[in-house]
Amino acid sequence: MKNTFILCAIMMFNCFISAQTNHFPSTNDYAELADTKPHDSEAVWDKLPATPQLSWGTIYTRYPKLSIPEVTKTSRWQTNAWKGERVNAQAVLWTKSDIKDVTLTVSDLVNGSSVIPASAISTNFVRYIMTDELNKDRQGGCGNRENKAEWDSSIVADVLDIVKVRDITARTTQPIWVNIWVPQNSKAGKYKGILTISGKDITPTNLQIQINVLNHTLPTPKEWAFHLDLWQNPYAVARYYDLPLWSKEHFDAMRPIMKMLANAGQKIITTSIMYKPWAGQTEDHFDSMVFRMKNIDGSWTFDYTVFDKWVEYMMNEIGIDQQINCYTMIPWALSFDYFDQATNRIKFVEAKPGDAAYKDYWGSFLKDFARHLRQKGWFEKTTIAMDERGMEAMQEAIKVIRSADPEYKISLAGNYHQEIEPDLYDYCLGYGHNFPADIKTKREKAGKISTVYTCCSEAFPNVFTFSAPAEATWIGWHTMAGNYDGYLRWAYNSWTADPLRDSRFRTWAAGDCYIVYPERSSIRMECLIEGIQDYEKIRILRKELTAKNNKSKLDKLNKLVSKFTPEGLASTQQDPTEMVIEARKELNKF
């Protein structure tokens, strides 16, 4: 037995990513891919003044790199914000000459003796990444995309870079992203400050910032009610940085993007309890975080070292600790791995839900897993999770789960099935599908989670790299309009081979596999957070207006929200970006 556990340890802790060695850029600058799309000619650029041009723009526009931006020049940006809210702005710099060593600095924002410190403000150069398009029928982004030449590809602005000093090439546009996280203890009032753009051999140029802090307070992200479930992929991080899986260096490399996720209000830790639960659908497949060994006598031994290490890291170091979702008892390929002590090799059980072999494989594990989870104090936080599986297969899996331990919580992202709804603690429906009103009420009273998801199927709303940025914000409003508890997306960081430069993938539309970049956020991610914050603001205002019995304002708020559904969109025929801009302005008037 001693030798067996030594073997287990070797298998778990000496796992290295078996892909090509990658030495991608991290904190250093990098070269973007070339854009072959039509753009403004040298003659057009050369009509510009000799001095670089600078203006505030809008966060909902992806400004083209090689054309002069279409903006109404203004040096002052102003917005309203709640205490505790993160607000975004985008400036645009364009030049007909090279500029060396461009830097961004921002002052404190001052309101009399009250200050929003510069430390609460982040500035980023916006970088360009290769994207493609929806399928030819324009109905979605699913399907094989092996031949990139078949797709209309271009570069678009999305990456929020961490490089602080950049050279700006002649005849290019450089967007600049500004994020201000208003402290919760800020005094209400108007705060003013300056964003300064400097560079070698140019005169520093200022843009004015003005924030009107309202007398409302947004809770911290950890306290948000919005149930955010973006699936994490730790294996992609190990491959990208060429680090030993589960090493200290691996965990250190994950920290920036996982902290980003926590600051977005993420509630769930994604874990894999079998090998390739999704048949290796991404650049980096998921291994099992649980080691299974079938002993010579036919009994089972389980080791949870990796599972525990990952969960403890996410809970204790990152701060995501509300729920653990364990994937999956019904994978794409019904093949289940284990180490066979008798033959000293990895073997697989081929079995479908309902088979005796399936029940033996999962039943033994689930009983021991329940014991382990209770010992760790995690049982109440854990769900056995499945996604997009048929009702009959789910019914058989539920039987095995209930037989192992009737108190297990179960999760499903997929179609609505009345027959199994009572068994599902965390139930997520695809965009355009709703829970019956009475069922949703029952689920709320029972403390169950009912959410919505989008994937490659939805042409709109989505977070592809070519999607309009406001679509990400629209999702937050739709979540409230559809009476969902939150939003799920299947891939937070399942990076492509070259994620900072090329978001295209062999299957699915560009950007479907990830929302953030190595160490970097994105326009998409920041707009998604914006929509989540709006959800929280609506929730808080509804509670306040109901307590005050202010029916007229409550009706006005509900009417504003109601447009953010497929039916509302079809009825108004309004541009979604304009919907978001209009609704967000109105929201800050309550």
Side-chain angles (χ1 to χ4, degrees):
M1 184 61 70
K2 180 179 178 181
N3 290 336
T4 298
F5 281 102
I6 291 174
L7 175 62
C8 294
I10 291 172
M11 292 182 70
M12 285 187 291
F13 291 112
N14 286 353
C15 289
F16 290 82
I17 298 298
S18 58
Q20 75 268 21
T21 299
N22 291 321
H23 297 287
F24 289 111
S26 179
T27 56
N28 298 323
D29 205 352
Y30 61 94
E32 297 161 355
L33 297 179
D35 194 356
T36 58
K37 305 296 287 185
H39 55 80
D40 287 345
S41 66
E42 290 186 12
V44 173
W45 278 97
D46 288 344
K47 290 179 183 178
L48 291 175
T51 55
Q53 302 297 293
L54 182 67
S55 175
W56 286 112
T58 168
I59 62 172
Y60 300 127
T61 298
R62 300 186 189 274
Y63 293 98
K65 180 180 180 179
L66 301 179
S67 292
I68 296 170
E70 295 181 7
V71 294
T72 301
K73 289 192 69 175
T74 178
S75 61
R76 187 176 72 164
W77 169 70
Q78 55 184 344
T79 193
N80 295 321
W82 285 27
K83 302 171 187 179
E85 183 180 0
R86 291 161 64 173
V87 291
N88 300 292
Q90 187 170 210
V92 195
L93 171 68
W94 64 103
T95 176
K96 72 176 183 180
S97 305
D98 291 335
I99 316 175
K100 299 292 185 182
D101 300 333
V102 176
T103 59
L104 311 171
T105 55
V106 66
S107 70
D108 292 340
L109 306 185
V110 179
N111 171 30
S113 60
S114 300
V115 175
I116 296 175
S119 59
I121 307 170
S122 62
T123 58
N124 306 87
F125 293 108
V126 181
R127 303 300 299 276
Y128 291 82
I129 188 160
M130 190 65 71
T131 189
D132 50 31
E133 59 178 337
L134 290 171
N135 293 343
K136 305 307 179 185
D137 61 8
R138 317 305 292 172
Q139 298 300 306
C142 301
N144 184 45
R145 294 181 176 227
E146 289 285 357
N147 184 2
K148 293 180 179 179
E150 293 179 357
W151 300 91
D152 186 17
S153 297
S154 61
I155 62 168
V156 293
D158 193 56
V159 186
L160 303 187
D161 206 357
I162 55 176
V163 172
K164 296 304 179 184
V165 182
R166 288 210 69 224
D167 293 340
I168 309 301
T169 306
R171 304 183 187 91
T172 62
T173 291
Q174 175 59 67
I176 296 161
W177 196 267
V178 179
N179 178 281
I180 303 169
W181 198 334
V182 180
Q184 285 184 308
N185 61 358
S186 298
K187 178 183 175 182
K190 292 182 179 179
Y191 291 76
K192 297 180 180 180
I194 298 293
L195 170 69
T196 303
I197 290 83
S198 306
K200 188 176 181 181
D201 299 327
I202 66 166
T203 302
T205 306
N206 294 333
L207 292 176
Q208 301 172 46
I209 299 172
Q210 180 177 307
I211 294 185
N212 182 27
V213 177
L214 305 175
N215 200 23
H216 291 287
T217 303
L218 198 65
T220 63
K222 193 173 182 65
E223 299 171 301
W224 292 347
F226 192 99
H227 195 82
L228 182 63
D229 182 10
L230 305 180
W231 295 1
Q232 312 101 57
N233 187 340
Y235 304 94
V237 180
R239 182 264 304 171
Y240 180 85
Y241 291 104
D242 191 27
L243 296 171
L245 199 55
W246 312 123
S247 64
K248 179 183 181 301
E249 294 78 11
H250 179 206
F251 283 106
D252 288 344
M254 288 191 285
R255 190 167 288 107
I257 62 163
M258 297 308 167
K259 281 288 188 183
M260 245 186 269
L261 186 57
N263 286 335
Q266 173 76 6
K267 298 296 187 284
I268 295 178
I269 304 167
T270 308
T271 69
S272 47
I273 54 173
M274 62 160 292
Y275 176 71
K276 286 189 176 182
W278 299 286
Q281 65 173 331
T282 51
E283 187 73 19
D284 308 281
H285 70 258
F286 287 71
D287 286 329
S288 177
M289 295 180 181
V290 177
F291 180 80
R292 294 168 167 82
M293 181 170 67
K294 193 165 191 178
N295 302 311
I296 293 175
D297 63 3
S299 62
W300 292 91
T301 298
F302 306 97
D303 191 299
Y304 305 103
T305 304
V306 169
F307 179 88
D308 292 352
K309 197 172 185 180
W310 168 240
V311 171
E312 287 167 356
Y313 167 79
M314 291 295 281
M315 285 188 175
N316 302 333
E317 295 192 40
I318 304 302
I320 299 171
D321 59 7
Q322 181 170 309
Q323 191 169 319
I324 308 164
N325 280 10
C326 305
Y327 292 94
T328 174
M329 284 179 63
I330 316 177
W332 288 14
L334 294 170
S335 180
F336 307 101
D337 68 298
Y338 67 96
F339 180 78
D340 183 55
Q341 189 183 40
T343 59
N344 200 39
R345 65 182 60 188
I346 299 292
K347 286 190 174 182
F348 291 85
V349 172
E350 308 287 338
K352 65 181 185 297
D355 290 351
Y358 180 91
K359 183 177 180 180
D360 175 64
Y361 181 91
W362 283 109
S364 301
F365 163 72
L366 289 170
K367 289 177 183 177
D368 192 73
F369 193 39
R371 173 200 60 78
H372 179 75
L373 291 169
R374 285 192 171 91
Q375 187 179 61
K376 300 291 290 187
W378 298 340
F379 185 82
E380 291 301 319
K381 296 175 182 283
T382 301
T383 78
I384 305 302
M386 277 72 72
D387 69 297
E388 297 183 335
R389 302 295 90 182
M391 186 183 72
E392 292 78 11
M394 283 296 302
Q395 287 174 323
E396 293 297 334
I398 289 168
K399 289 178 186 177
V400 176
I401 296 168
R402 294 286 177 245
S403 177
D405 194 310
E407 295 182 6
Y408 261 122
K409 291 178 178 176
I410 303 171
S411 172
L412 173 66
N415 294 331
Y416 181 73
H417 301 292
Q418 182 179 348
E419 294 85 348
I420 61 174
E421 179 277 323
D423 283 298
L424 301 176
Y425 165 76
D426 182 347
Y427 202 172
C428 186
L429 303 183
Y431 174 76
H433 298 270
N434 294 90
F435 292 92
D438 60 328
I439 296 297
K440 180 61 167 64
T441 300
K442 288 180 182 178
R443 292 183 63 79
E444 287 176 9
K445 290 181 179 178
K448 294 180 177 181
I449 305 298
S450 310
T451 59
V452 64
Y453 74 94
T454 62
C455 58
C456 65
S457 301
E458 286 74 36
F460 171 92
N462 226 310
V463 289
F464 303 128
T465 41
F466 55 79
S467 297
E471 290 186 32
T473 307
W474 203 96
I475 287 169
W477 283 78
H478 172 68
T479 303
M480 179 59 76
N483 195 27
Y484 304 104
D485 299 323
Y487 172 69
L488 175 153
R489 208 169 195 296
W490 74 278
Y492 175 63
N493 70 303
S494 284
W495 294 327
T496 55
D498 190 0
L500 282 175
R501 303 195 305 159
D502 193 347
S503 65
R504 297 172 298 177
F505 191 57
R506 60 181 174 264
T507 46
W508 311 305
D512 192 37
C513 298
Y514 61 111
I515 305 177
V516 298
Y517 301 88
E519 299 181 60
R520 298 156 173 86
S521 187
S522 68
I523 290 177
R524 297 175 290 156
M525 185 64 185
E526 295 307 315
C527 287
L528 180 63
I529 294 170
E530 183 180 79
I532 294 169
Q533 290 183 140
D534 289 346
Y535 177 103
E536 289 298 306
K537 292 162 79 172
I538 295 163
R539 179 184 63 82
I540 292 167
L541 287 170
R542 279 179 170 174
K543 187 175 180 179
E544 290 177 357
L545 295 172
T546 300
K548 295 176 181 177
N549 198 27
N550 194 333
K551 187 175 184 302
S552 62
K553 275 196 172 182
L554 184 60
D555 288 345
K556 184 179 178 181
L557 177 60
N558 289 338
K559 184 177 179 181
L560 183 68
V561 173
S562 66
K563 295 188 295 184
F564 289 83
T565 62
E567 298 79 17
L569 191 63
S571 174
T572 63
Q573 293 292 301
Q574 191 175 5
D575 176 75
T577 297
E578 292 304 316
M579 283 180 68
V580 167
I581 292 171
E582 178 184 292
R584 300 197 78 242
K585 284 181 180 177
E586 290 298 315
L587 186 60
N588 280 325
K589 293 179 182 178
F590 284 91

